[in-house]
């Protein structure tokens, strides 16, 4: 065998001898500690929530009795439930639109790459964080106290909470956009509003529309729950029927809720595909 061939064959051996072996013990120890920490967290969560699976087994007869009393659904009341259904959908539409209108200017101020100044950036981020931190149910209770019962406080609650969710996602989308067109407009002497309308909006509009449609889908689900605190819609009808033990009406409302959620989810997915 030639010297050249010997050198080629010896190179992998030399590299193998010179490469340190991976520290398998260290990796195994880290994995063990991670699994152990996860099990400890799950165990403490089980203790805190007082999980008792045996109670679920012994209480299955009560659940079966409710299901028996809820069948068949009371379709005779379907006509009277159409208006609450429309209220639920419109609460979500108004809340989403209001959230978009308020979130867009806040997102521009909260995006580090286009915000006018650092103090304004931090103030906008604080407003968005506060709107997101307070649950929509708490906002609904707040607005019910202010304007009374009905769909309007529910719509206001979704609008304010949507500001927190949409504002953050909008700001992150603006921060990740390509800044080359923005810099080019700035070099030409364009004003800030011109930069926003001709540079920022065309770059992020498809993403913002997709995020808004996803939020509308989420708000339809949330509007169903807000009725539990007097914010109108199907949720209020559902709570009333449960308090009056009208389980056949409850099953009808649950069927309507399922249909609304499925249709909204499908339409939202189709529109997002068209936009993208």
């Amino acid at each position: 065998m030639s010297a050249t061939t010997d050198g080629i064959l010896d190179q992998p051996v030399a590299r193998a001898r010179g490469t340190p072996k991976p520290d398998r013990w260290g990796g195994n120890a880290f994995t063990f500690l991670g699994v152990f920490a996860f099990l400890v967290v799950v165990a403490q969560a089980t203790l805190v929530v007082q999980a008792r699976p045996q109670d679920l087994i012994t209480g299955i007869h009560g659940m079966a009795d409710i299901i028996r009393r809820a069948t068949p659904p009371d379709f005779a009341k379907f006509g009277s439930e159409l208006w609450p259904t429309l209220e639920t959908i419109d609460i979500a539409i108004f809340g989403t639109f209001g959230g978009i209108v308020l979130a867009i200017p806040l997102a521009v101020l909260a995006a580090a790459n286009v915000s006018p100044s650092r103090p304004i950036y931090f103030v906008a981020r604080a407003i968005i964080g506060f709107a997101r931190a307070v649950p929509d149910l708490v906002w609904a209770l707040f607005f019910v106290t202010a304007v009374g019962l009905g769909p309007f406080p529910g719509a206001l609650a979704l609008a304010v909470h949507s500001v927190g969710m949409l504002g953050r996602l909008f700001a992150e989308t603006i921060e990740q956009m390509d800044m080359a067109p923005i810099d080019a407009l700035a070099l030409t002497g364009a004003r800030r509003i011109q930069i926003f309308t001709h540079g920022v909006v065309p770059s992020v509009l498809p993403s913002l529309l997709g995020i808004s449609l996803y939020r509308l889908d989420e708000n339809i689900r949330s509007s169903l729950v807000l009725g539990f605190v007097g914010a109108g819609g199907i949720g209020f009808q559902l709570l009333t029927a449960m308090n009056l033990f009208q389980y056949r009406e409850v099953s009808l409302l649950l069927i309507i809720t399922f249909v609304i959620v499925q249709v909204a989810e499908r339409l939202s997915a189709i529109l997002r595909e068209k936009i993208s």
Side-chain angles (χ1 to χ4, degrees):
M1 185 177 294
S2 64
T4 304
T5 306
D6 292 341
I8 295 174
L9 294 176
D10 289 342
Q11 286 178 2
V13 178
R15 283 197 296 266
R17 291 175 180 174
T19 304
K21 294 182 179 180
D23 187 0
R24 294 183 179 179
W25 169 249
N28 292 337
F30 181 78
T31 302
F32 173 79
L33 290 175
V35 173
F36 179 76
F38 173 76
L39 293 177
V40 169
V41 171
V42 173
Q44 69 86 26
T46 303
L47 293 175
V48 170
V49 302
Q50 301 178 9
R52 295 186 298 271
Q54 66 275 12
D55 292 350
L56 185 61
I57 297 175
T58 56
I60 194 171
H61 300 289
M63 292 187 293
D65 180 64
I66 291 177
I67 295 175
R68 179 185 61 80
R69 295 166 63 182
T71 53
D74 190 3
F75 287 102
K77 295 185 177 181
F78 179 77
S80 62
E81 304 299 346
L82 292 179
W83 182 256
T85 301
L86 180 62
E87 278 188 347
T88 297
I89 298 173
D90 287 342
I91 287 171
I93 293 174
F94 182 91
T96 305
F97 179 76
I100 293 171
V101 171
L102 297 174
I104 289 177
L106 277 174
V108 174
L109 299 177
N113 54 342
V114 296
S115 183
S117 65
R118 297 301 290 177
I120 294 178
Y121 167 82
F122 287 116
V123 171
R125 283 282 178 173
I127 295 174
I128 291 173
F130 179 74
R132 185 175 66 254
V134 179
D136 49 9
L137 277 175
V138 177
W139 283 118
L141 287 171
F142 177 77
F143 287 118
V144 164
T145 304
V147 302
L149 299 175
F152 186 47
L156 291 175
L158 287 182
V160 175
H161 193 256
S162 295
V163 169
M165 302 304 296
L166 293 176
R168 178 186 176 183
L169 295 175
F170 285 178
E172 292 178 353
T173 301
I174 294 174
E175 287 179 343
Q176 295 173 2
M177 70 179 182
D178 184 12
M179 291 298 295
I182 310 301
D183 296 336
L185 288 172
L187 290 174
T188 60
R191 291 175 297 187
R192 186 175 295 274
I193 187 64
Q194 293 174 325
I195 293 175
F196 176 75
T197 56
H198 293 82
V200 176
V201 173
S203 299
V204 301
L205 185 58
S207 298
L208 298 190
L209 290 176
I211 294 171
S212 300
L213 288 172
Y214 180 78
R215 185 60 193 176
L216 176 62
D217 185 16
E218 292 293 319
N219 279 344
I220 289 177
R221 291 179 174 86
S222 298
S223 64
L224 298 169
V225 182
L226 294 183
F228 279 48
V229 295
I234 290 182
F236 185 74
Q237 299 294 112
L238 183 61
L239 179 63
T240 303
M242 292 179 66
N243 289 335
L244 297 176
F245 305 104
Q246 297 175 353
Y247 294 116
R248 293 181 61 197
E249 183 178 355
V250 169
S251 62
L252 171 64
L253 292 171
L254 292 178
I255 292 174
I256 295 175
T257 300
F258 174 78
V259 172
I260 291 175
V261 171
Q262 291 299 314
V263 171
E265 181 178 344
R266 186 56 189 161
L267 288 177
S268 178
I270 292 174
L271 290 175
R272 288 199 300 269
E273 290 178 0
K274 296 293 183 181
I275 292 172
S276 60

